[in-house]
Amino acid sequence: MQKFIQFMKSRKGIIVLVALTFGILFFAFANNNILNGKSDDTLSQKKKLLVSIGVLIEKQHYSSPKIDDKFSKQVFKDFLDALDNEKNIFIQSDIDGFKKYENYVDDEIHGADLKIVPSISSVYEQRINETVAIYKNILANPFDFSKDEDYITDFKTLDFAKDETNKKDRWRKKIKYLTLERYVDLLSQRDKLSSTDTAYKTDAQLEQLARDRVMGIMDKTFQKIKVSYSFDKLFNTYVNVITNTVDPHTDYFPPVEKRAFDESMSGRFYGIGAQLQEQDGIIKIASVIAGYPAWRSGEIEPNDIIVKVAQGNEDAVDITGYEVTDAVKLIRGNKGTEVRLTIKKQNGTVKVVSLIRDEIIQDESYVRSAVIHENGKKMGYIYLPDFYADFERANGARCSEDVANELIKLKAENVEGIILDLRSNGGGSLYEVVQMVGLFIQDGPVVQVKDKAGKVSVLNDENPSVLYTGPLVVMVNGFSASASEIFAAAIQDYKRGIIIGTNSSTYGKGTVQRNIPLGNVIDYSTGSTEFGAVKLTFQKFYRINGGSTQLKGVEPDIVLHDTYEYLEFREKDNKDALPWDEIQKANYNIDKTAATELDKVIAEDKKKVEGNSTLNIIHNDALWLAKNTKKPVSLDLNKYKEFQKSIKSTVAQIATLSKLKQDMNITVAKPDEAKYFSNTDKAKGERYQAWLKNIKGDMYIQTTTSFLIDLINKKINYTFSNN
């Protein structure tokens, strides 16, 4: 267990309360005799798991919510929505029958017998099987696309189907809509052919082909649904609905999901060294990586089909219909353990290949940089996908150290300014973001953290040295969350650089989570436990100016609108999100002279944005799309074609405007040239080159570069003092 919590170790003033975690575990598992060992009775085990999670929520969650009948009703509703978000699987009589359980969730959490999932799952399976018969029957006959009727795609506005007849009609419209989409595409392709061409087909033939394609899609979809409605999977969904009702970032991770989360944080995992792809419901080997187990075996090749996966001598699991992510979770495991793959070769032969898992390093998910040459200036560009940290290894990857190394490389290239791209960076290690801010400021507060008791702690950068003192611009968008927001907020509060956003605010996640293991340790090398873990919200963080990043996010200094601006995906759009508030400002100083000069650049650049016709068109197009894509879709062929023409032309216009007509001049630092252009792993080198080409044509990077040039020309001198 000690090894499991090494990642929680205290470094440079960030104190992780390990004792608190163990206190929770003891309270939940020892005092309540919960999960002390595996039971043969599945319901009994699930019951104990649910009770232990309830204890954590009520005793240790930041908001300590009251789990009562009101809470139960919300969970009950959300669980049914999770199982049937389009409201076309269950019918209202099912919902009425389930109503007797809507006040029972809190009883189950407090130890009552489990009734909700067992009762709902049996009906759910029945309705799924009935639905398969419904769509197959619908697709057996041609559609009439001259009838003027609508299909509602905004499922939030729907109630559950009133009865069987209403359900069948909803499915008829859904299937008709899916067929119409493909029929119109086929008509468009036929328009390019001559009527004498052998590939030319009649309207009736194209309609039949469209239905055949929809049949394949539906069969594949429901095959995946059937894979996912085992009792264990439904129960895990139920538990996560409970935790997410408390707040969107409190989650339950079953053991496999917990391992996947740890892998994403550390950039390391134990697997076979092969890339997978899903095609028509089957999992194929896309490529094998030289030097790793799959390659060393000499028995696995690209295009081999993985039929089954077995853990050592256990029974094999048929993965037909699995998503790649789910197949990967089965193939990965603990170092040195055996995984047996049933492989179907391209010549039709089937064989079982035994592999011993080894450590795979995901260095492609780490930070990378490039050098921008624009208007006679040389500038550094750093892309950070997330705030990763591998605390279990002394030499494990740390994003702050990696960013520091990129800064050193770019300084050696004599760049005059830096762009740090945090777009779509979902966050990660709180420790790492504090260290990263410290690369750009002198010692001082970076973020404030408040616990459930109201105690506020200030996390400081304690290193007085500043690695990079030059002009800085930080790019964010609506998907930049958590640690990304802490970084952007600190840079903004210190007036250390300009924050450029493609949305009016970042995501708005201002809460801190901790993983709390459940059950006995089953692998001390990784700290994995038999029942997974709960990722529990136990703190909120605040900017050093006192405001929370929760709900509101960080408002950029300059906004470059993109197509996502009006979509509902941020924290503020989640009904279960914790509220915004503020606390007292931390004690920090800024260079007022530098701040004044920075504000002048921001004001000037805002005027440039206002007059930027390209950005204004994208803004108006995004607003139009947001308003129109929620409207019911006409199933009349001519009306549908007319509407789709408008949608496609608008989307195409945004795509065209977002892509530069001529690529920027972007190179890589000398130490990186081999990684990009003479990589021993050819496929990896090609992926690096593809990334480089992508940023060369990014209009938002070029626009941000122009702002950085303005900042460079201002020649702002920072004193870097908090005294």
Side-chain angles (χ1 to χ4, degrees):
M1 181 65 76
Q2 185 62 33
K3 291 183 179 180
F4 180 82
I5 61 164
Q6 283 178 346
F7 75 96
M8 299 183 192
K9 59 188 175 182
S10 170
R11 296 178 64 186
K12 290 192 177 181
I14 297 184
I15 300 174
V16 180
L17 302 180
V18 176
L20 173 61
T21 301
F22 282 110
I24 295 170
L25 289 171
F26 179 80
F27 181 84
F29 302 140
N31 289 2
N32 291 282
N33 296 316
I34 292 171
L35 304 183
N36 285 325
K38 275 196 171 183
S39 167
D40 293 332
D41 186 340
T42 300
L43 284 180
S44 175
Q45 290 284 40
K46 302 298 185 188
K47 175 180 175 181
K48 293 174 181 178
L49 173 63
L50 189 58
V51 170
S52 67
I53 290 173
V55 171
L56 291 175
I57 290 172
E58 290 189 299
K59 302 296 182 181
Q60 300 299 337
H61 187 274
Y62 178 83
S63 63
S64 292
K66 186 177 182 181
I67 298 179
D68 53 14
D69 285 352
K70 180 180 178 182
F71 181 85
S72 294
K73 288 179 180 178
Q74 187 62 58
V75 170
F76 178 79
K77 178 182 180 301
D78 291 347
F79 181 49
L80 294 177
D81 287 344
L83 296 181
D84 187 10
N85 71 307
E86 293 188 22
K87 309 295 196 321
N88 59 11
I89 301 296
F90 294 123
I91 60 176
Q92 189 58 49
S93 60
D94 298 331
I95 307 304
D96 293 340
F98 298 149
K99 281 277 188 179
K100 60 187 175 185
Y101 299 119
E102 69 175 353
N103 292 331
Y104 191 67
V105 177
D106 59 320
D107 297 289
E108 289 190 344
I109 293 173
H110 293 137
D113 290 340
L114 299 185
K115 298 179 181 178
I116 296 175
V117 175
S119 299
I120 292 178
S121 63
S122 60
V123 178
Y124 184 63
E125 182 173 359
Q126 174 191 339
R127 293 302 184 195
I128 289 292
N129 291 329
E130 291 173 356
T131 303
V132 171
I134 290 171
Y135 79 70
K136 286 184 179 295
N137 182 59
I138 292 169
L139 284 166
N141 300 295
F143 287 109
D144 177 7
F145 294 124
S146 65
K147 186 178 180 181
D148 189 12
E149 56 182 348
D150 294 334
Y151 172 62
I152 297 174
T153 58
D154 186 3
F155 308 122
K156 291 180 181 178
T157 64
L158 295 174
D159 294 322
F160 287 97
K162 290 185 294 185
D163 49 34
E164 291 282 1
T165 302
N166 184 226
K167 173 179 174 175
K168 289 178 180 178
D169 189 58
R170 287 191 184 185
W171 273 103
R172 180 187 63 81
K173 289 184 177 180
K174 177 183 174 69
I175 298 299
K176 186 176 182 179
Y177 166 68
L178 294 174
T179 304
L180 180 57
E181 281 186 315
R182 282 140 194 85
Y183 180 54
V184 169
D185 286 342
L186 291 168
L187 288 173
S188 178
Q189 294 171 28
R190 189 185 67 180
D191 289 342
K192 301 173 185 177
L193 302 174
S194 166
S195 59
T196 59
D197 196 305
T198 55
Y200 190 91
K201 289 182 172 59
T202 66
D203 288 356
Q205 288 174 317
L206 293 182
E207 193 275 344
Q208 175 68 63
L209 181 56
R211 280 187 287 122
D212 290 344
R213 290 183 177 179
V214 172
M215 180 70 82
I217 291 169
M218 296 307 298
D219 286 346
K220 179 180 172 182
T221 299
F222 275 82
Q223 186 179 38
K224 291 178 180 177
I225 290 174
K226 289 181 178 181
V227 167
S228 68
Y229 70 46
S230 68
F231 179 79
D232 278 350
K233 288 184 178 292
L234 285 183
F235 186 80
N236 291 342
T237 298
Y238 175 60
V239 174
N240 262 307
V241 168
I242 291 172
T243 58
N244 290 165
T245 299
V246 177
D247 87 278
H249 307 290
T250 291
D251 298 297
Y252 167 61
F253 291 122
V256 172
E257 302 289 344
K258 174 60 171 59
R259 190 188 71 231
F261 176 80
D262 291 342
E263 291 168 355
S264 70
M265 282 294 293
S266 68
R268 293 173 183 254
F269 62 89
Y270 302 115
I272 65 171
Q275 291 189 319
L276 310 183
Q277 65 180 26
E278 185 271 336
Q279 185 177 343
D280 298 328
I282 59 177
I283 301 296
K284 285 187 173 183
I285 300 290
S287 65
V288 293
I289 305 173
Y292 287 117
W295 178 84
R296 292 198 298 262
S297 74
E299 298 185 89
I300 295 178
E301 301 170 309
N303 293 317
D304 286 351
I305 296 171
I306 304 177
V307 181
K308 298 179 181 179
V309 179
Q311 313 301 322
N313 294 321
E314 294 181 13
D315 292 339
V317 176
D318 188 329
I319 63 170
T320 305
Y322 273 48
E323 296 283 1
V324 168
T325 51
D326 291 325
V328 165
K329 289 170 186 174
L330 290 178
I331 294 171
R332 293 179 184 176
N334 296 323
K335 184 176 182 178
T337 57
E338 180 191 27
V339 59
R340 290 184 296 114
L341 306 183
T342 302
I343 298 290
K344 184 176 182 180
K345 307 295 288 184
Q346 295 177 67
N347 61 11
T349 61
V350 176
K351 64 190 307 184
V352 177
V353 180
S354 173
L355 301 169
I356 302 301
R357 296 177 176 106
D358 200 355
E359 183 178 62
I360 315 292
I361 301 176
Q362 296 173 294
D363 58 338
E364 287 182 78
S365 65
Y366 296 164
V367 65
R368 59 184 71 177
S369 68
V371 180
I372 301 174
H373 307 264
E374 187 88 1
N375 291 340
K377 301 292 184 183
K378 202 174 183 183
M379 294 156 284
Y381 171 82
I382 298 175
Y383 168 68
L384 182 66
D386 54 50
F387 285 83
Y388 54 84
D390 182 3
F391 286 133
E392 290 193 354
R393 299 166 179 83
N395 63 342
R398 314 274 201 281
C399 68
S400 62
E401 294 176 2
D402 291 348
V403 168
N405 289 331
E406 298 303 317
L407 286 170
I408 291 169
K409 280 192 287 188
L410 293 172
K411 286 169 70 175
E413 295 285 330
N414 298 313
V415 300
E416 299 179 67
I418 294 288
I419 294 173
L420 179 60
D421 193 344
L422 300 181
R423 289 178 297 173
S424 301
N425 181 317
S429 168
L430 183 59
Y431 170 80
E432 287 301 301
V433 71
V434 174
Q435 306 311 303
M436 250 189 66
V437 171
L439 301 175
F440 301 94
I441 68 165
Q442 200 174 44
D443 56 327
V446 172
V447 62
Q448 302 186 88
V449 180
K450 186 175 76 170
D451 64 20
K452 67 191 303 292
K455 181 182 177 182
V456 176
S457 303
V458 180
L459 306 186
N460 295 280
D461 163 42
E462 298 183 352
N463 189 338
S465 65
V466 184
L467 180 59
Y468 176 73
T469 61
L472 174 67
V473 173
V474 180
M475 298 182 72
V476 294
N477 63 8
F479 297 100
S480 301
S482 193
S484 298
E485 297 174 284
I486 293 174
F487 184 90
I491 296 299
Q492 191 175 61
D493 289 344
Y494 274 109
K495 294 288 185 177
R496 176 61 186 87
I498 300 175
I499 310 301
I500 308 291
T502 56
N503 295 106
S504 58
S505 71
T506 53
Y507 186 84
K509 179 185 178 295
T511 53
V512 186
Q513 286 72 41
R514 174 182 294 148
N515 287 325
I516 301 176
L518 302 173
N520 298 319
V521 179
I522 56 176
D523 187 333
Y524 282 94
S525 66
T526 62
S528 57
T529 53
E530 58 186 326
F531 299 107
V534 172
K535 180 162 69 76
L536 188 76
T537 296
F538 71 105
Q539 292 174 322
K540 284 177 72 175
F541 48 68
Y542 299 79
R543 305 171 64 136
I544 54 176
N545 72 5
S548 175
T549 56
Q550 173 62 18
L551 216 63
K552 291 186 178 182
V554 176
E555 183 180 336
D557 298 312
I558 301 171
V559 177
L560 311 177
H561 292 285
D562 69 5
T563 188
Y564 301 108
E565 170 63 19
Y566 297 101
L567 300 184
E568 296 178 357
F569 61 88
R570 282 169 281 188
E571 190 86 354
K572 65 181 181 180
D573 302 311
N574 192 311
K575 61 179 175 53
D576 298 317
L578 297 182
W580 179 89
D581 62 340
E582 57 185 336
I583 60 175
Q584 187 175 341
K585 173 183 174 182
N587 183 22
Y588 70 101
N589 298 316
I590 62 173
D591 183 330
K592 293 182 180 179
T593 301
T596 299
E597 294 301 304
L598 185 73
D599 286 340
K600 288 179 182 178
V601 176
I602 292 172
E604 292 167 2
D605 287 339
K606 278 185 175 180
K607 291 180 181 178
K608 289 183 182 180
V609 172
E610 291 172 3
N612 188 312
S613 59
T614 297
L615 290 170
N616 287 333
I617 293 171
I618 290 175
H619 177 236
N620 292 332
D621 283 351
L623 181 59
W624 185 88
L625 285 171
K627 289 180 178 178
N628 284 276
T629 51
K630 284 189 174 184
K631 292 181 178 179
V633 179
S634 174
L635 299 179
D636 172 84
L637 176 61
N638 293 325
K639 289 183 178 180
Y640 176 83
K641 288 172 69 174
E642 182 180 350
F643 179 65
Q644 286 304 306
K645 184 179 179 181
S646 299
I647 293 286
K648 288 179 179 179
S649 64
T650 303
V651 171
Q653 180 170 253
I654 292 176
T656 299
L657 293 174
S658 300
K659 190 75 174 175
L660 296 173
K661 293 180 180 178
Q662 182 175 350
D663 285 351
M664 290 183 286
N665 182 7
I666 300 181
T667 60
V668 295
K670 286 182 176 59
D672 290 333
E673 289 177 349
K675 180 170 65 175
Y676 281 78
F677 305 111
S678 55
N679 201 313
T680 54
D681 185 338
K682 184 179 177 182
K684 180 182 287 189
E686 289 174 350
R687 290 193 295 274
Y688 274 118
Q689 290 176 46
W691 173 81
L692 192 62
K693 180 168 179 55
N694 183 58
I695 65 172
K696 286 180 178 180
D698 190 325
M699 179 271 293
Y700 290 99
I701 294 177
Q702 186 186 59
T703 304
T704 299
T705 299
S706 70
F707 300 150
L708 179 56
I709 290 174
D710 291 339
L711 196 55
I712 291 170
N713 291 335
K714 201 71 175 177
K715 299 186 186 309
I716 299 175
N717 293 313
Y718 290 91
T719 58
F720 295 106
S721 175
N722 278 309
N723 298 321

